Amino acid sequence: MAKQANLYSFPSVKDNLAPALRAYVISCQEAGLARHSVFKVAVSGGSLPKTLAQALLAPPSGPNDEVKWDKWEIFFADERAVPLDHQDSNYFLLKQELLDKLPAGTGQPTVHPIDTEYLDDTQELADQYEQALVRSFASRDSVKLPIFDLLLLGCGPDGHTCSLFPGHELLRETSAWVAPIEDSPKPPPKRITLTLPVVTHAVRIAFVATGGGKKEIMKQIFEEGAGLPCALVNEGAGERASWFVDNDAVEGVSYPRRPFSL
Ligand SMILES: O=C1O[C@H](COP(=O)(O)O)[C@@H](O)[C@H](O)[C@H]1O
């Protein structure tokens, strides 16, 4: 039987979840560097960047605990069609929470924001972002799908991830790497997103979900599935998907927790 997604649950975000997430990200970083000398990662917006900052801005605990920022190539798992200094921009959020706080003297990551020249045309915005992936991952002709070393994803209270929403036709997209959405049920309505095949194709996928507000949807994802986008990622990725959650987010959820280890 195919192995299932890993569920790691921690009593405290700051004291347990963040250090475990850090260890996990660094192990993915080292695997990516061994494969192709860079670390290709895509990140979500929402509540994720804050937790990510808690994990990655912490002081190193030893010589092997190094975030090699200058080797990181950062893409966005989804982005809203707004200027890069807009409060709704996932780039702006990551910049505020993490990128602007990198310690002085640290090498800088290569960051791939959307091209805001195309904000009025979401199809073109998505196509241009796909071209950025093509340039990074070699051509679409030579690569069927880009393979990210790691995707760092959030989970909305409705079970959406990236800008893939429950019941939306985008869940059936099979050819585009990046797709536009103009009717996001969560504002702002116009966005672009990595598609499900790209998401499930990543080497590793880490979801972060915290707080009691996620409890009901976590039950649905882990007990019923019900075609929810997060559940579809779990089904497509199996053990390559790992969930970093706090105890509040999974209170009452019947699904085996694993002790965290690399
Ligand atoms: O709209 C979005 O929401 C999701 C989930 O956000 P959260 O605040 O519930 O963690 C996020 O992962 C996505 O990137 C964002 O565009």
Side-chain angles (χ1 to χ4, degrees):
M1 203 172 87
K3 290 202 177 148
Q4 293 185 313
N6 305 299
L7 179 58
Y8 304 120
S9 170
F10 304 92
S12 149
V13 175
K14 183 170 168 284
D15 297 335
N16 319 106
L17 187 159
L21 182 63
R22 178 187 176 93
Y24 181 85
V25 171
I26 288 177
S27 85
C28 294
Q29 166 193 275
E30 293 307 307
L33 294 182
R35 265 193 301 274
H36 40 218
S37 307
V38 289
F39 180 44
K40 292 174 192 269
V41 56
V43 296
S44 285
S47 53
L48 175 85
K50 192 170 180 210
T51 310
L52 204 53
Q54 284 183 314
L56 300 181
L57 298 177
S61 62
N64 296 327
D65 184 35
E66 188 190 354
V67 184
K68 297 172 181 164
W69 289 112
D70 58 331
K71 305 275 195 255
W72 282 47
E73 217 182 310
I74 303 179
F75 291 87
F76 292 85
D78 71 318
E79 182 55 288
R80 289 91 177 271
V82 294
L84 297 180
D85 58 356
H86 193 284
Q87 289 295 330
D88 286 338
S89 161
N90 285 342
Y91 167 81
F92 185 66
L93 186 63
L94 188 75
K95 185 171 175 309
Q96 266 189 324
E97 294 287 352
L98 179 64
L99 302 175
D100 285 350
K101 297 180 184 167
L102 296 185
T106 311
Q108 296 298 304
T110 302
V111 183
H112 296 275
I114 52 167
D115 187 341
T116 53
E117 192 183 323
Y118 302 102
L119 290 182
D120 293 336
D121 180 348
T122 50
Q123 181 64 64
E124 192 57 30
L125 191 65
D127 289 348
Q128 291 293 332
Y129 207 67
E130 185 169 295
Q131 285 307 310
L133 295 187
V134 167
R135 286 190 290 277
S136 173
F137 288 87
S139 75
R140 265 199 77 130
D141 299 336
S142 62
V143 197
K144 197 165 156 262
L145 285 168
I147 306 177
F148 282 96
D149 296 313
L150 175 64
L151 296 182
L152 287 157
L153 302 182
C155 162
D158 58 354
H160 85 268
T161 191
C162 305
S163 284
L164 300 167
F165 289 89
H168 198 280
E169 61 183 354
L170 255 189
L171 293 173
R172 294 192 296 275
E173 175 62 54
T174 53
S175 73
W177 293 0
V178 181
I181 168 167
E182 299 226 318
D183 57 354
S184 161
K186 176 180 174 183
K190 293 186 179 185
R191 300 157 169 240
I192 63 165
T193 183
L194 295 181
T195 57
L196 196 54
V198 172
V199 173
T200 55
H201 213 58
V203 179
R204 292 271 182 271
I205 300 153
F207 283 96
V208 177
T210 58
K214 298 273 158 84
K215 193 162 69 179
E216 288 312 317
I217 198 66
M218 293 295 284
K219 269 192 191 156
Q220 290 183 41
I221 292 167
F222 283 94
E223 294 177 8
E224 298 157 31
L228 291 167
C230 288
L232 294 175
V233 176
N234 280 353
E235 283 162 25
E239 63 178 339
R240 289 179 292 110
S242 294
W243 286 73
F244 293 79
V245 304
D246 64 355
N247 292 349
D248 290 346
V250 283
E251 193 193 322
V253 176
S254 306
Y255 186 89
R257 277 68 151 165
R258 284 176 204 271
F260 177 72
S261 72
L262 289 172

